[in-house]
Amino acid sequence: MTPLQQAVMYKQPEMVQLLIDHGADLDKTASIDHPSPVFLAATYARPQMVEMLLNAGACMNAKKEGKPTLLYYAVTGTRERLLARMRRARTVKAVLDAGTPYSLVQGRPSTMHLAKGHLSDNDLVATVCTTQSA
């Protein structure tokens, strides 16, 4: 893993910012199979890091056609408890606020369908309505 990926994995927002400030490659991964730092932040529901990376210019597109989008990772993430689910809603909002399209992934259900399985109806509706009205 790259230092930026490790900072995201180990919940070190100060280190993420330091690496950004010192010119770290925002999209570099250890291999093609590893997600980029912003995709990791979305997967682990770290909205502050998602915002930091996207504001610094991290790519929000999947590496290959037919791969899951950033929004997909923000919505599905990992299995988590209630507190993490609240962070997940904030992470989805951060990704949508950054302008990522509401898109489908080839061979997978729609992103909004997936969201219903991971967020409460109230969190999902509030996230989507707030983002669309902004």
Side-chain angles (χ1 to χ4, degrees):
M1 292 187 111
T2 67
L4 191 52
Q5 288 173 303
Q6 289 179 354
V8 170
M9 285 291 299
Y10 294 107
K11 303 178 192 174
Q12 300 294 319
E14 298 85 9
M15 182 58 71
V16 169
Q17 190 60 56
L18 180 71
L19 291 165
I20 289 170
D21 292 345
H22 285 85
D25 184 338
L26 303 176
D27 301 311
K28 185 174 182 176
T29 61
S31 78
I32 192 76
D33 296 326
H34 288 115
S36 71
V38 74
F39 276 66
L40 280 175
T43 299
Y44 290 102
R46 300 199 173 116
Q48 177 188 13
M49 292 183 193
V50 167
E51 290 172 357
M52 291 165 59
L53 290 161
L54 290 174
N55 288 338
C59 182
M60 68 174 73
N61 298 321
K63 293 180 192 176
K64 291 183 183 176
E65 189 69 30
K67 291 289 186 180
T69 63
L70 182 59
L71 183 57
Y72 176 89
Y73 283 101
V75 169
T76 60
T78 58
R79 298 272 180 222
E80 54 220 359
R81 294 193 171 107
L82 180 60
L83 185 59
R85 287 175 52 156
M86 291 172 13
R87 278 197 334 267
R88 170 110 6 246
R90 290 193 314 269
T91 302
V92 170
K93 183 175 182 339
V95 168
L96 292 172
D97 285 349
T100 191
Y102 294 84
S103 63
L104 303 177
V105 178
Q106 184 176 351
R108 295 185 188 241
S110 75
T111 304
M112 290 303 129
H113 172 77
L114 289 168
K116 287 201 56 73
H118 294 275
L119 301 173
S120 72
D121 288 343
N122 291 340
D123 286 341
L124 178 61
V125 169
T127 298
V128 171
C129 291
T130 301
T131 302
Q132 288 181 341
S133 67

